[in-house]
Amino acid sequence: MAVLVPLTDDMRDSRASQRTDVILGSSKDAIPSGTATDWVSYGDQVAVIRVAAEHPIAADSEETTAGEGYLSRTVDLQVKERVWSRSGAPALPDQLSVIADGWSFDGDSKIRVGSHEASRLEVGHDYVVALARYSDGEWSPLGTGGILPYDDSQVGQGEFQGRTVTATAYRSTMQERLIAGDEEPLAYRAVGKKAADLKAFLTSATPDATAAKNFHLNAVARARLVAGAAAAAAAASDTFCRMAAPLATEAGSTYTPGELSDILADLSGMTDKQADAAVLRAYAAQLNTGGDSSTWTNLAVRMSAAARIERECSIEVGDLLPNDMDDTE
């Protein structure tokens, strides 16, 4: 579900681009919609649809009196092909109506309004759309990333940002959105392909664990829970890494075997990753059994503990060995 940010005169220069036929404004997606993971986490149905008709929604009385403002729009969608559905999802009707970007008007003049890097849903065009049914019973696309052009049965071919584009041009635009290390947007992975190929991407995707536990809730509620879980995990990771920071080689800290064991034991209680916690506890226990550096150096669990701390916190901890042996004498 995307929310178009209304355009003011001050915003148009910095947050929107105006052409003679369409104004492109910024939009805020209430639900993540860019990747296959997003689609299977928050989507209920994916379908090929055709936009059959559009209908303006009357502007509010204040804008009507002023003679300028924003005119919203609904579009009638005809389902041409059902591509994917979440297990247990509500049935998708053959026809539905959704709210879409409308027009900016000034007197009798109207200019189409759209969203950056998104399709506008124009009459006569086909799209592959990820849809969700919300708490009010209405259906809507997930967001800007949940609508893919699909004219001539080819992803990327058709209407995009209010204009008809080729799959090649669409691919170039999607490629600019790639972020190293992040899951590739489904629009980029699927460009040039058919709906059946897109279905394969979805059936092989794994939904977010928190979303999967809450499929009985609507997509917005699921997204809020996932965001909350992510924030809690980030806070936990931050606490874990603050505790681990003195272990960084650049910190120059010194630890006896007992002190290092205590830190590792504390860290094991700060991670919700059970495998990491087990490794940290195991190495902490080994440090308490006595011995010398050669004994601990040969432990596979030591190397694993070091690797897991480095992975979680992006720091170098070196050998993760005690460097103050006073308490062993």
Side-chain angles (χ1 to χ4, degrees):
M1 175 180 274
V3 178
L4 185 73
V5 178
L7 298 175
T8 65
D9 291 338
D10 292 337
M11 293 166 62
R12 281 180 179 154
D13 289 337
S14 61
R15 295 173 63 186
S17 60
Q18 183 169 354
R19 303 191 295 237
T20 57
D21 61 339
V22 63
I23 297 171
L24 297 179
S26 58
S27 64
K28 296 180 180 180
D29 283 343
I31 302 169
S33 62
T35 66
T37 299
D38 295 334
W39 284 34
V40 300
S41 296
Y42 309 111
D44 292 320
Q45 300 277 354
V46 174
V48 176
I49 61 92
R50 171 163 291 177
V51 181
E54 64 183 6
H55 313 280
I57 300 174
D60 66 37
S61 58
E62 188 173 320
E63 290 181 336
T64 300
T65 300
E68 60 179 0
Y70 177 72
L71 193 63
S72 191
R73 177 178 66 122
T74 62
V75 292
D76 297 336
L77 308 181
Q78 181 181 41
V79 175
K80 296 180 62 179
E81 178 185 350
R82 286 167 168 78
V83 177
W84 172 91
S85 98
R86 176 179 59 78
S87 177
L92 181 67
D94 293 335
Q95 297 180 348
L96 59 155
S97 180
V98 303
I99 295 176
D101 292 333
W103 301 270
S104 173
F105 72 92
D106 187 350
D108 294 330
S109 175
K110 289 196 307 183
I111 299 178
R112 292 179 300 154
V113 171
S115 300
H116 278 294
E117 300 183 346
S119 289
R120 189 174 177 273
L121 292 177
E122 295 281 13
V123 174
H125 286 278
D126 293 344
Y127 305 85
V128 178
V129 182
L131 294 151
R133 193 176 71 175
Y134 294 89
S135 56
D136 59 3
E138 297 295 322
W139 288 87
S140 181
L142 287 184
T144 55
I147 305 172
L148 311 183
Y150 196 62
D151 286 357
D152 303 319
S153 299
Q154 184 179 14
V155 173
Q157 184 83 21
E159 184 271 318
F160 180 66
Q161 297 187 141
R163 290 184 172 179
T164 301
V165 299
T166 64
T168 300
Y170 187 75
R171 182 194 301 274
S172 296
T173 299
M174 293 303 110
Q175 190 168 16
E176 294 173 358
R177 300 171 62 182
L178 299 179
I179 300 175
D182 285 0
E183 182 180 350
E184 291 180 348
L186 192 54
Y188 178 76
R189 296 175 64 193
V191 67
K193 300 184 182 298
K194 295 188 177 297
D197 300 310
L198 193 144
K199 180 179 180 179
F201 290 137
L202 297 174
T203 54
S204 63
T206 302
D208 177 272
T210 299
K213 292 177 182 176
N214 292 280
F215 278 145
H216 60 287
L217 301 176
N218 68 70
V220 172
R222 270 180 260 155
R224 287 173 179 164
L225 288 175
V226 170
S237 177
D238 181 59
T239 301
F240 179 96
C241 292
R242 284 202 304 270
M243 171 62 75
L247 299 177
T249 52
E250 64 180 20
S253 305
T254 59
Y255 296 102
T256 66
E259 289 170 339
L260 181 56
S261 175
D262 288 343
I263 291 174
L264 295 173
D266 288 341
L267 288 173
S268 72
M270 294 180 179
T271 176
D272 59 358
K273 300 173 183 176
Q274 296 304 311
D276 288 3
V279 166
L280 294 170
R281 283 196 302 269
Y283 184 35
Q286 289 289 336
L287 288 168
N288 277 330
T289 62
D292 55 27
S293 292
S294 62
T295 301
W296 300 310
T297 299
N298 294 325
L299 291 174
V301 72
R302 174 193 62 80
M303 294 182 285
S304 183
R308 289 168 192 251
I309 293 171
E310 290 179 341
R311 179 194 62 204
E312 180 69 25
C313 302
S314 300
I315 60 174
E316 297 290 334
V317 297
D319 292 331
L320 198 61
L321 286 168
N323 52 15
D324 180 353
M325 302 301 291
D326 287 347
D327 70 345
T328 64
E329 298 178 357

